Amino acid sequence: MSGSATPVIAQLVEAMRARAGSHPGFRPVHAKGIVCSGTFRGAPQARGVSRALHLQGQAVSTVMRFSNASGNPDVHDGLANARALAVKFQLPDSKSTDVLANSIEGFPARTPEEFLAFLRAQLPDPVTGQPAPGAVPRFLESHPAARAFVERLMQKPVSASYGQANYHAEHAFLFTAADGTRRFGRYRWMPEAGEAYLSPDDASKRSANFLREELESRLRNGPVAFRLLLQLASESDPTDDVTALWPADRPIVELGRLEV
């Protein structure tokens, strides 16, 4: 309960809204985005790790949303923060399954309580209206996983295009193949056009909505494609800690291709 009778999820939403400002009718995070449709087709090797219906090779209709992490729907696209890709696979009998992924690998906090503390460190002082000096550095000093996450963010602070960013799922999922073999893995989307990023200074000179405008322009010339990959865990890799990255030498399996 984080020292309060209010459930931690409600406290998280409150902190998110306090950080982004009042924007009635919008979600507390990822408020700004663009919805697209597309088609996904599973790769042949996907059947070797999963018997899931959408990974068996047939064409599957999808709906996806690209977004900025901020809860402010009017945020400038040049602001350094994570971008996200959420894909819904539309299955028979009105069923669906989702893959949610961010442009930064991992997550800054392992537990809801840690994430709440991270958000509160970023809130403005009620007297000055400015972030409390030293609050974020103090939090990062005592939370090395959060510090490492922020360092990864600042290496690629602003995506030049929604269609030219890698997107990493934070959670590990257990995959079961047709023969019963079970392995944990983490999803990641890789853009076929390659990655492209901007410095905050260059990004600030662009249109406030340049990510949407760029994607719309790109789609007028044809589909935007991503490959869905799965990083497989070894027995020693933690599967219940979203802050822990697995070594880069872990096996990668291609699960399929998405056309936006």
Side-chain angles (χ1 to χ4, degrees):
M1 292 294 185
S2 299
S4 169
T6 305
V8 66
I9 184 63
Q11 295 180 65
L12 282 167
V13 172
E14 181 183 7
M16 290 171 180
R17 294 199 184 282
R19 184 169 177 265
S22 178
H23 303 286
F26 289 90
R27 63 186 73 194
V29 287
H30 298 280
K32 182 180 184 179
I34 179 173
V35 177
C36 303
S37 62
T39 302
F40 177 85
R41 189 180 294 275
Q45 54 267 45
R47 295 190 290 272
V49 294
S50 177
R51 59 192 181 199
L53 182 61
H54 60 295
L55 299 178
Q56 303 311 302
Q58 75 276 28
V60 178
S61 296
T62 59
V63 176
M64 70 287 301
R65 185 174 187 263
F66 297 92
S67 64
N68 294 5
S70 174
N72 178 0
D74 300 315
V75 67
H76 193 291
D77 283 347
L79 184 69
N81 64 39
R83 306 308 192 262
L85 171 57
V87 180
K88 182 178 290 293
F89 302 83
Q90 299 177 314
L91 306 178
D93 301 322
S94 300
K95 295 181 179 179
S96 64
T97 189
D98 303 325
V99 173
L100 311 178
N102 291 323
S103 59
I104 309 301
E105 191 173 8
F107 199 68
R110 180 174 183 175
T111 67
E113 291 77 12
E114 280 188 4
F115 189 45
L116 180 60
F118 182 48
L119 291 174
R120 285 176 171 171
Q122 302 171 60
L123 295 182
D125 182 280
V127 176
T128 66
Q130 299 298 318
V136 171
R138 283 194 300 272
F139 180 89
L140 297 180
E141 183 62 29
S142 59
H143 294 80
R147 183 174 67 249
F149 178 88
V150 172
E151 289 172 351
R152 291 194 296 275
L153 169 63
M154 299 317 297
Q155 290 172 7
K156 300 175 179 179
V158 184
S159 300
S161 168
Y162 282 136
Q164 286 192 272
N166 290 335
Y167 297 94
H168 303 265
E170 299 146 3
H171 296 283
F173 295 96
L174 185 61
F175 292 79
T176 303
D179 62 2
T181 304
R182 307 177 85 192
R183 294 284 298 273
F184 275 97
R186 279 176 172 159
Y187 292 115
R188 60 176 64 168
W189 293 104
M190 305 289 287
E192 288 192 354
E195 294 183 83
Y197 297 92
L198 303 169
S199 70
D201 183 59
D202 289 340
S204 68
K205 300 172 184 175
R206 299 201 175 190
S207 161
N209 302 307
F210 76 83
L211 285 174
R212 181 189 186 101
E213 294 162 358
E214 194 278 341
L215 183 61
E216 290 175 337
S217 175
R218 186 181 290 259
L219 289 172
R220 282 194 286 270
N221 296 318
V224 173
F226 290 86
R227 293 162 58 214
L228 180 60
L229 307 180
L230 186 70
Q231 184 186 30
L232 296 173
S234 74
E235 291 185 0
S236 61
D237 293 328
T239 57
D240 60 352
D241 184 354
V242 292
T243 70
L245 307 191
W246 298 341
D249 62 358
R250 296 296 183 255
I252 301 291
V253 178
E254 182 163 356
L255 296 183
R257 184 174 184 269
L258 173 70
E259 281 197 354
V260 182

